[in-house]
Amino acid sequence: MHRVVVLGAGSISATHVRAFESLDGRAKVVAVAARHTSSAQKIIDECGIDARAYDDYRRAVLEEDCDIVVVCTPPALHCEMAVFCLEHGKHVLVEKPMGMSVEECDRMIAAAKRSGRKLSVVAQSRFFTPIWKTKQLLAEGAAGPLHFVQVNSFWFRGPMYYDLEWRGRWETEGGGCTFVQAVHHIDLLCWMAGLPSEVTAILGNRAHDNSEEEDISLALLRFPSGALGEMNSAIICHGQPQSLYFVCDRASISVPHKIVADVSQPNAFPIEDPELLRALEQRFEEIPAPAYEGFAGLADDLIRAIETDTQPVSSGESGRATLELIAAIYESGATGRTVQLPLSPESPFYRAQGIRDNMPRFHQKRTSVEKLEDAPIILASENMR
Ligand SMILES: NC(=O)c1ccc[n+]([C@@H]2O[C@H](COP(=O)([O-])OP(=O)(O)OC[C@H]3O[C@@H](n4cnc5c(N)ncnc54)[C@H](O)[C@@H]3O)[C@@H](O)[C@H]2O)c1
């Protein structure tokens, strides 16, 4: 049985505890560490598990007999904690965004290579059945080559979202909606369409005056194949209408699920191709669902990777690709220029310090609290079903 330590006891920690505990006895959470033992103990009590609470993450990792560590602390701590755990022989599942910069991702990937341990990055949306099946359907190619992709990562967060002390500052949060919320959809974009080769972006902050960071970014993309794309990110959108839209040569495939297959009439106007539509819908039905959904899918995937010595579906490299595209969106938004990928390590946007030094401050952060009022949170993809 795999023994798991969870670092962080905030809004997402119980979700990870429950995910590992749901794998039919293959994993058990043995400890939770946070800044205060009381908040770690609260997660333990809430989840009804037999585990120890720590206020020092290093002690938790060193004292507990464990092989997996889940890092769910603020992003500025991900690299330090993940590298420490990997160097002490633990497999690591690190929350999104993987780190504060591509350079931090490279340090984590290097630590995983040196230690021979697995590094996985939280991307639970990949393990939602409609998204999992859409990825497979696109990869099989029956819809033809990709021409255009539009991803809308539209969320709503009220202004008090940025009152939490580490949010709303480039220094501690690392970015605005593109980095924190759209990271889920940018991951899906890169996973399903590949990394673009060219990015042109604009950024703004319309409705969050306690944050230095952007609350909207719009990016135009060009892929190495010549396909074009649009990656739109915002936290000002009523109803949070999130979607993925892939226009391929023979059909378009969307999440929420919709397939459209048209051919030309003699006058070039569209008419449905019922045969192709039927075939694509039938194949979509046949594609097996992931073994477990969402966070449990991630936990199961990491365990599978450990036991078969293979790469997890959501690997360190894929977390890095996501941050590379985000860095390019920031570089283009800050400089007003089109940015080419891969991102050069010489670019200031390769490093967290370079991002901090070069991004616009939309507002000054004035209010800071250690904890927001408890209320349910809505997780990524819940509104893409
Ligand atoms: N995958 C998702 O859908 C999802 C949803 C929410 C949050 N997240 C991510 O999870 C991470 C945490 O977010 P959150 O909303 O739970 O934050 P939070 O502020 O609610 O909780 C952070 C936790 O980290 C702990 N912590 C801080 N410094 C520490 C230290 N030095 N040692 C040990 N523990 C320390 C705090 O005590 C707290 O328990 C972030 O990276 C965030 O982006 C992911």
Side-chain angles (χ1 to χ4, degrees):
M1 185 196 283
H2 296 273
R3 296 170 63 85
V4 183
V5 168
V6 172
L7 306 185
S11 66
I12 200 62
S13 306
T15 307
H16 286 289
V17 173
R18 293 195 182 103
F20 277 96
E21 292 277 332
S22 74
L23 301 180
D24 305 310
R26 285 154 63 218
K28 174 181 165 40
V29 175
V30 295
V32 177
R35 267 186 307 188
H36 309 294
T37 318
S38 57
S39 48
Q41 189 60 47
K42 192 161 171 257
I43 297 288
I44 291 170
D45 295 343
E46 199 180 305
C47 297
I49 53 166
D50 177 20
R52 286 174 65 188
Y54 287 84
D55 62 1
D56 176 342
Y57 86 89
R58 290 188 179 83
R59 269 189 49 225
V61 171
L62 295 177
E63 285 180 15
E64 290 294 331
D65 171 20
C66 66
D67 63 334
I68 296 175
V69 179
V70 186
V71 178
C72 33
T73 51
L77 295 168
H78 290 181
C79 180
E80 169 200 311
M81 289 182 163
V83 169
F84 177 84
C85 296
L86 290 162
E87 284 179 345
H88 287 87
K90 314 299 178 190
H91 305 288
V92 170
L93 173 60
V94 60
E95 256 298 350
K96 62 78 194 167
M98 180 173 168
M100 299 289 270
S101 65
V102 180
E103 181 270 331
E104 287 194 0
C105 298
D106 282 341
R107 268 196 273 151
M108 290 187 246
I109 291 168
K113 286 203 174 119
R114 276 197 308 276
S115 67
R117 292 297 181 266
K118 304 297 174 196
L119 173 60
S120 180
V121 180
V122 173
Q124 75 267 20
S125 304
R126 293 186 182 199
F127 296 89
F128 282 106
T129 298
I131 292 173
W132 182 267
K133 288 183 168 212
T134 301
K135 151 78 179 168
Q136 176 76 22
L137 192 63
L138 285 166
E140 288 176 5
L146 181 72
H147 291 319
F148 169 63
V149 53
Q150 183 191 53
V151 176
N152 291 326
S153 187
F154 293 152
W155 309 70
F156 184 94
R157 292 290 181 271
M160 68 290 291
Y161 180 76
Y162 286 106
D163 293 353
L164 195 62
E165 55 185 13
W166 58 272
R167 291 190 185 138
R169 286 198 184 92
W170 290 103
E171 183 85 24
T172 46
E173 188 171 26
C177 63
T178 320
F179 183 72
V180 174
Q181 279 82 22
V183 63
H184 291 287
H185 296 93
I186 294 175
D187 169 72
L188 295 175
L189 174 86
C190 294
W191 188 45
M192 294 160 98
L195 188 66
S197 47
E198 200 180 290
V199 180
T200 311
I202 53 173
L203 314 171
N205 180 324
R206 302 287 305 154
H208 292 87
D209 64 2
N210 194 32
S211 169
E212 298 171 358
E213 305 150 348
E214 85 288 359
D215 66 7
I216 178 164
S217 75
L218 309 176
L220 300 176
L221 316 170
R222 192 189 303 279
F223 291 85
S225 66
L228 301 180
E230 220 180 274
M231 179 66 233
N232 300 317
S233 316
I235 49 168
I236 56 173
C237 299
H238 305 269
Q240 308 198 104
Q242 301 168 5
S243 58
L244 313 173
Y245 176 51
F246 299 91
V247 179
C248 301
D249 196 51
R250 304 178 64 208
S252 68
I253 305 176
S254 311
V255 181
H257 181 71
K258 186 171 182 185
I259 301 179
V260 178
D262 283 340
V263 284
S264 290
Q265 299 185 86
N267 66 354
F269 279 72
I271 185 168
E272 188 176 280
D273 177 345
E275 240 169 79
L276 178 60
L277 183 59
R278 225 180 353 261
L280 288 169
E281 289 287 13
Q282 192 184 328
R283 181 61 197 136
F284 185 81
E285 284 305 312
E286 285 166 4
I287 293 170
Y292 292 85
E293 283 261 314
F295 286 88
L298 270 172
D300 169 65
D301 180 59
L302 175 58
I303 289 177
R304 183 198 52 78
I306 294 168
E307 292 176 352
T308 56
D309 195 16
T310 51
Q311 276 298 305
V313 168
S314 182
S315 63
E317 279 74 9
S318 65
R320 182 197 191 278
T322 302
L323 275 209
E324 192 174 0
L325 179 48
I326 292 171
I329 291 172
Y330 281 168
E331 179 165 355
S332 177
T335 62
R337 290 195 295 267
T338 296
V339 171
Q340 311 293 325
L341 290 173
L343 189 77
S344 161
E346 304 308 316
S347 161
F349 292 81
Y350 174 72
R351 291 171 196 284
Q353 188 62 49
I355 295 174
R356 277 175 217 140
D357 291 347
N358 286 282
M359 291 308 290
R361 263 65 183 163
F362 289 102
H363 299 284
Q364 198 190 339
K365 165 123 178 163
R366 283 166 282 103
T367 312
S368 235
V369 298
E370 195 178 316
K371 203 174 173 319
L372 288 181
E373 302 247 340
D374 275 335
I377 64 170
I378 302 169
L379 296 172
S381 307
E382 282 179 8
N383 40 359
M384 281 209 300
R385 287 169 191 272

